Amino acid sequence: MSWQQVASASRYLESERGTVCKDWGGRLPIALAFPNTYYLGMSSLAVHSLYRLWNARDDIVCERVFVDEFHPPLSLESAAPLDYFPVVAFSISYEMDYFYVVDILRGAGIPPRAADRDESHPLLIAGGPAVTANPEPLAPLLDAVVIGEIEPVFDDLTAALHLVADGRDAALERLGSIHGLYLPNRAGASASPQRIQRQWLHDLDSVPTHSVLYTPDTEFGDMGLIEIARGCGRGCRFCLAGYTYRPPRQRSVDSILVQAQELLAFTDRLGLVSAAVSDHVDIDCLAAELRALGARISVSSMRVDPVSEPLLRALSESGTQTLTIAPEAGSEQMRLAIHKTQTEDDVLRAVELAARYDFAQLKLYFMLGLPGEQDSDVQSIVDLALACAERFPRQVTVNLTPFVPKAHTPFQRFPQTSAKEVKRRLAHVERGLRKHRIGVKSESPAWAEIQGTLARGDRRIAEALLLAERPSPASWRQALEAVGLSQPELLGERPAGDPLPWAFIHTGVHPARG
C-alpha cells in the first residue's frame, strides 16, 4: 500500500459519522466492494444496508472498498488489501461498472476469471439490479450471484460464507443449496442453466433500510436516505426496476417515522427513496408527519398522475430548489406505447404547481430512441418542454437519455436505436430548445451502445471486458470483435424464439404481459 492511499482513506473516515471499526479476531472479514467511486458508492442505499446488516452480527466484520486512483485497492476501515479478505461482495447497480469490477480485481492481484482462482483467493459474490437481470456478462468472473433481494437469503448466505474457512468447495456447496443463489461455474457454459427464482422481501417493515453512514463527500451530502417502498406496479415497458422488483410493496408510515427519528439525530435532511415516491398510498400523510418532526424532505422525481400537492408543498417548505418530472416521451401517443400513462395535462398541472410553490428549477427527463419513435415524437419533446417553460418562469432543463433495452422488460427483444440516429434526434431537440434558453443535457449515445451490449450480452462479454482495459467506444468495438462478437448484432433485434442469455432467471413476471 502507499501512504497516499492511507491518507485518502483517513480523510474519508475523518468526515464520516457512523463508521464501524471491528477487530478481525474470531470474525469472518467481508469486503463490501462498490465498483465505482466513494462519492457515488456512499449514495447507494444497498451499500448502507449491507454494511448495517453484516456489521450488526458479532461474527462478521464488514469493510468497504471503492475505486480510487491508487493501487492496490484497500478497505477504508482498516486499510486492508482486498486479497486479505476471504469474501469479496460486489454491489452492482449499473452495467457500466463492470469495467471497474475488472479493474478492482486486477489492482488487487486477484485473477479475474473464477477458473483461475484457488484456495489462496477470496470467494467473489455479487448482487444488485444489473446482475439480477442478466448475470451472464460477469458469470465467468464470479463465484456466486444473488438473484433479487438479499434480505430473504441473508442468514443462509452468511452461514454459507462462514464455510469458506473449510475451503471454497464447502462454501460453494452450501451456497448452491440456497434458493436464489446462482453459481455460474457450477452451471457450466450452457445457455440454459438451472432455473433461478428471483428473491423478494415480503414484509419491508421487517428490515429497515436507511442511511447508516453520513458524509459530505457524496452526491447527497449530509442527507439521510430512507426507502419508503420497493417495486412498482405501473408496468412502464422500458423499466428494469418495474419488472425485477415486483410486486410493489410499501413500508408503513409508522415504520418510516421510526427510521426518520433515528436519522434526525444526525441530519434534518431526509431523502425519500422508491421507484415512485409519490405512489406511496400514504404519501400526503407521510409528508406532513415528517415535516411535523422538523425534517426537510427531498425526492428524486415526482409522478404527476396525479401530482401530490401536499408533497410538493412539503418539498417547497423544506427548501428543495429543483423539482424533477420524468414524462419520458414528448407525445401522449408515445407515452401510451411505453405505458407511461401521464397525460400532457398531468405534466402541465404539476409544472404550474411547481411555479406556484416557487421552485428555482424544473428538470424534465426524456428518452430518445424508444421503439417506434418518429421525428414527430422527437418534436413533441420540444413542444412539451416549451409548454412547460411558458408556465414555469424560472430555469427549465431538459435531460435526454438514449433508450437501452433491458432484460426481462417487454422491450427485451427490441433493437437499440443506433448512436448515429440518436445523435441526429438529440441535435433536433437542442436546436429547438437552446434558442429559448432551455438547458439541454444528454448522456452519450456512443456510451449507451456499450451499455446496451453489456445489458443483453452473454458469457462471451466477459472476455471482451478483460481485453478493454481503458474502455472507449472504439476500443470496446475492437474488444468485441477480438472475441468474435459484433456490436451491431448485439444491439439488434432478438427474434421471437431465439434463446435469451438471461432466460433461466425467473422473475415471476411475464414481460410480454407486464
Side-chain angles (χ1 to χ4, degrees):
M1 72 183 71
S2 67
W3 68 266
Q4 294 103 322
Q5 280 179 292
V6 176
S8 177
S10 296
R11 283 195 298 272
Y12 286 134
L13 295 179
E14 286 170 2
S15 63
E16 279 189 353
R17 291 173 291 170
T19 312
V20 177
C21 294
K22 289 184 177 180
D23 185 89
W24 284 32
R27 297 184 171 99
L28 173 67
I30 297 177
L32 176 55
F34 185 85
N36 211 304
T37 62
Y38 176 92
Y39 181 85
L40 289 177
M42 290 307 296
S43 300
S44 166
L45 262 185
V47 170
H48 288 258
S49 183
L50 289 168
Y51 189 77
R52 180 182 68 83
L53 288 169
W54 267 319
N55 279 321
R57 297 178 58 121
D58 189 56
D59 58 342
I60 299 289
V61 52
C62 177
E63 301 188 355
R64 293 160 293 154
V65 175
F66 299 98
V67 173
D68 63 31
E69 64 270 36
F70 305 113
H71 289 283
L74 302 178
S75 70
L76 281 187
E77 285 76 2
S78 65
L82 195 64
D83 60 355
Y84 279 28
F85 291 85
V87 176
V88 176
F90 282 98
S91 176
I92 307 174
S93 298
Y94 306 108
E95 294 90 355
M96 299 302 288
D97 288 344
Y98 293 173
F99 295 103
Y100 287 124
V101 172
V102 176
D103 285 349
I104 287 174
L105 295 177
R106 282 189 168 141
I110 299 171
R113 296 183 185 86
D116 296 333
R117 297 194 293 268
D118 57 30
E119 295 292 341
S120 67
H121 300 116
L123 196 71
L124 302 189
I125 64 172
V131 292
T132 283
N134 180 18
E136 290 304 275
L138 285 184
L141 280 59
L142 301 171
D143 294 305
V145 183
V146 178
I147 302 298
E149 299 168 17
I150 195 171
E151 293 96 341
V153 301
F154 180 78
D155 289 338
D156 289 340
L157 169 68
T158 304
L161 295 178
H162 270 288
L163 295 180
V164 75
D166 300 325
R168 294 169 59 86
D169 286 343
L172 289 170
E173 190 70 29
R174 178 70 66 86
L175 287 168
S177 70
I178 301 173
H179 290 296
L181 265 289
Y182 172 46
L183 276 59
N185 295 289
R186 296 204 167 193
S190 168
S192 301
Q194 183 179 1
R195 199 160 176 79
I196 304 295
Q197 181 73 46
R198 175 184 62 91
Q199 300 299 295
W200 55 280
L201 179 63
H202 291 246
D203 178 13
L204 292 190
D205 281 357
S206 66
V207 185
T209 302
H210 56 76
S211 298
V212 295
L213 295 149
Y214 304 90
T215 173
D217 299 316
T218 185
E219 181 178 0
F220 299 112
D222 282 326
M223 182 184 298
L225 305 179
I226 303 177
E227 182 189 58
I228 67 168
R230 192 177 293 182
C232 179
R234 288 181 177 264
C236 296
R237 302 182 72 201
F238 58 87
C239 182
L240 177 63
Y243 286 86
T244 57
Y245 283 91
R246 286 197 192 180
R249 291 144 287 154
Q250 298 184 157
R251 297 185 190 275
S252 67
V253 171
D254 287 345
S255 168
I256 296 167
L257 293 178
V258 168
Q259 295 180 68
Q261 289 172 327
E262 183 178 334
L263 269 59
L264 287 170
F266 295 91
T267 176
D268 68 343
R269 299 182 62 224
L270 301 182
L272 307 184
V273 177
S274 80
V277 168
S278 51
D279 278 358
H280 193 290
V281 67
D282 293 316
I283 190 62
D284 294 351
C285 170
L286 177 60
E289 293 282 357
L290 290 171
R291 288 293 297 143
L293 290 175
R296 294 186 294 149
I297 63 176
S298 179
V299 301
S300 56
S301 66
M302 285 275 294
R303 295 282 312 202
V304 297
D305 50 343
V307 66
S308 167
E309 188 167 352
L311 178 58
L312 270 179
R313 184 185 306 113
L315 293 172
S316 176
E317 292 172 352
S318 299
T320 298
Q321 295 296 301
T322 302
L323 183 70
T324 301
I325 299 172
E328 306 295 2
S331 68
E332 288 194 21
Q333 179 180 350
M334 195 75 246
R335 286 196 294 276
L336 287 173
I338 63 176
H339 212 248
K340 187 85 173 184
T341 54
Q342 53 194 245
T343 66
E344 183 167 328
D345 287 343
D346 292 329
V347 174
L348 295 179
R349 179 172 181 271
V351 171
E352 289 168 354
L353 286 171
R356 184 189 307 170
Y357 285 108
D358 206 29
F359 287 88
Q361 181 176 206
L362 175 71
K363 284 187 179 180
L364 302 170
Y365 276 82
F366 296 94
M367 288 185 289
L368 283 175
L370 285 161
E373 183 179 77
Q374 303 295 321
D375 284 352
S376 59
D377 299 305
V378 178
Q379 177 60 37
S380 291
I381 294 175
V382 176
D383 296 340
L384 182 55
L386 291 174
C388 290
E390 288 178 1
R391 291 159 175 81
F392 190 84
R394 288 169 287 283
Q395 177 63 45
V396 176
T397 301
V398 169
N399 290 69
L400 299 165
T401 302
F403 166 71
V404 176
K406 294 296 178 79
H408 301 290
T409 70
F411 288 152
Q412 63 181 355
R413 291 185 177 274
F414 279 67
Q416 182 169 335
T417 303
S418 71
K420 180 179 179 180
E421 177 59 23
V422 172
K423 286 178 183 177
R424 184 187 71 81
R425 299 179 193 184
L426 171 61
H428 180 92
V429 176
E430 289 176 335
R431 285 194 302 270
L433 293 181
R434 284 194 168 148
K435 61 186 176 184
H436 295 281
R437 297 184 180 180
I438 295 176
V440 179
K441 297 180 180 179
S442 64
E443 296 182 12
S444 163
W447 282 92
E449 288 191 330
I450 298 178
Q451 183 188 10
T453 61
L454 297 172
R456 296 194 297 170
D458 58 27
R459 292 190 174 201
R460 295 172 295 173
I461 291 289
E463 293 304 316
L465 285 168
L466 296 176
L467 286 176
E469 293 189 20
R470 291 284 175 256
S472 67
S475 67
W476 181 241
R477 286 192 297 271
Q478 293 169 1
L480 290 173
E481 291 169 2
V483 299
L485 295 173
S486 161
Q487 181 161 290
E489 289 181 12
L490 288 168
L491 299 176
E493 181 182 2
R494 308 294 175 93
D498 281 10
L500 298 172
W502 54 87
F504 67 96
I505 302 295
H506 182 54
T507 67
V509 182
H510 195 293
R513 291 193 291 269

